[in-house]
Amino acid sequence: MSPASSPLIYEQWSATCDTLHAHTQVLGKLAVALAPPAPQLQHAALTLTARGWETAPLPAPDGSGALLVALDLHSHEAIVEHSDGRSGRVALAPDRPVGVVTRELLEKIAGLGGAVTIDPTPQEVSWTVALDEDEEHRTYDPALVATYFAAATQAALALAAFRAPFRGRSTPVNAWWGSFDLAVNLFSGEPADPPADDFIMRNAMDAQEVAVGWWPGDGRYGRAAFYAYTHPAPDGFAAARLSPDAARWDDTLGEYILDWEDVRTAPDPRALAVEFARSAFAHACAVCDWDPLLAASVEGHPPPVV
């Protein structure tokens, strides 16, 4: 069975998932430390590429150029590349704790572009041990990582296809290291009150938006799934019946959900995922009174210029 055709069930790969998640947090912490701050915390977002999770080019601490840091999920290495062509590599492998990888990666960065200090406290996870001291998360199964990466790649392509025709402000397909998900955010152009006063909510959710994303499951929801929500959500937002029929509202998560298993086993998985995203977006725009012309653009009206 190829990785792309394999199911992704959190309880079957939770140990590897949590280790990989912790490694992505190190990349995110580097982006926070080095990138110029951007609205909705976009400077902290990572990208899923054809080789794995990557930062954008980041200013080298010593001013010598740019650094890009990546998790190569084919060669199973953490990689730092300097814009002058130099690079360093740290192995991701079974029984290599997150703390060891983190310390080695920071040493490589210091040698290539100057020392950087990150906040090693993990975020939005159930564990609290500092990333550079984490000896617990050491399980890394390359085959399970390949299954995850194949699914995440297909999810990212579907999210990109959904976002492409939108005529308003939107994000690219972001890889979020806190919640370990992929997401696109489409904005109406109107401000919004954040749902809470903590740092992340104050900065990430200060605009009216619809978010559609995908995550590989976690302790709250043990299956990979696409999700959709709007902010702020008006009364009755949860009452819609979305398309396809397998989509549903989850009261615990407070989001519309379409399980990855329903997508993965469909005749055209990407088309089904885009159908869900468009249905959720259309519903959100209707109940939140978005500009109808802006809402229609996701359906390709007017079509892109060719």
Side-chain angles (χ1 to χ4, degrees):
M1 180 178 289
S2 70
S5 63
S6 300
L8 192 62
I9 302 170
Y10 177 70
E11 66 181 12
Q12 296 178 358
W13 84 296
S14 60
T16 292
C17 178
D18 290 350
T19 299
L20 182 60
H21 187 178
H23 288 320
T24 70
Q25 296 231 335
V26 178
L27 270 61
K29 299 286 188 173
L30 288 165
V32 169
L34 297 175
Q40 281 81 51
L41 299 178
Q42 286 299 294
H43 65 290
L46 305 175
T47 302
L48 191 80
T49 71
R51 68 172 170 179
W53 285 61
E54 297 188 7
T55 69
L58 303 171
D62 64 4
S64 60
L67 297 173
L68 184 147
V69 189
L71 299 178
D72 189 320
L73 302 185
H74 297 299
S75 65
H76 302 290
E77 296 172 303
I79 300 172
V80 54
E81 298 172 341
H82 194 285
S83 53
D84 65 10
R86 293 177 296 145
S87 64
R89 296 172 180 267
V90 178
L92 306 176
D95 209 33
R96 294 213 80 211
V98 167
V100 170
V101 172
T102 300
R103 293 191 299 271
E104 290 186 9
L105 183 60
L106 292 175
E107 289 174 2
K108 297 290 186 185
I109 291 171
L112 291 171
V116 57
T117 300
I118 64 170
D119 174 2
T121 306
Q123 293 179 231
E124 300 180 66
V125 293
S126 60
W127 59 90
T128 58
V129 64
L131 293 164
D132 57 353
E133 299 176 357
D134 188 344
E135 299 295 318
E136 173 188 355
H137 295 100
R138 59 173 63 223
T139 302
Y140 188 92
D141 184 325
L144 294 174
V145 170
T147 296
Y148 156 76
F149 189 37
T153 297
Q154 293 302 320
L157 292 172
L159 293 171
F162 157 67
R163 167 193 174 270
F166 184 60
R167 295 284 179 138
R169 184 171 75 90
S170 63
T171 70
V173 180
N174 287 323
W176 288 110
W177 46 275
S179 45
F180 199 48
D181 62 335
L182 308 173
V184 291
N185 302 72
L186 281 57
F187 300 96
S188 70
E190 297 296 325
D193 293 328
D197 195 43
D198 64 87
F199 176 82
I200 292 177
M201 290 298 148
R202 288 199 319 271
N203 287 277
M205 302 190 73
D206 61 352
Q208 188 179 47
E209 65 175 289
V210 176
V212 182
W214 177 91
W215 80 101
D218 56 23
R220 300 173 306 153
Y221 193 85
R223 301 185 298 279
F226 285 92
Y227 66 83
Y229 66 83
T230 190
H231 170 70
D235 292 341
F237 177 67
R241 290 184 59 85
L242 299 187
S243 180
D245 290 340
R248 67 191 186 283
W249 176 261
D250 187 286
D251 281 326
T252 301
L253 298 174
E255 298 169 342
Y256 284 100
I257 295 295
L258 177 63
D259 283 338
W260 172 245
E261 194 66 10
D262 292 312
V263 174
R264 182 185 69 84
T265 57
D268 190 339
R270 191 176 306 167
L272 195 74
V274 172
E275 179 183 337
F276 167 72
R278 287 178 174 172
S279 178
F281 182 74
H283 169 56
C285 288
V287 300
C288 295
D289 197 28
W290 281 37
D291 180 342
L293 295 178
L294 195 62
S297 69
V298 162
E299 301 284 348
H301 308 296
V305 176
V306 294

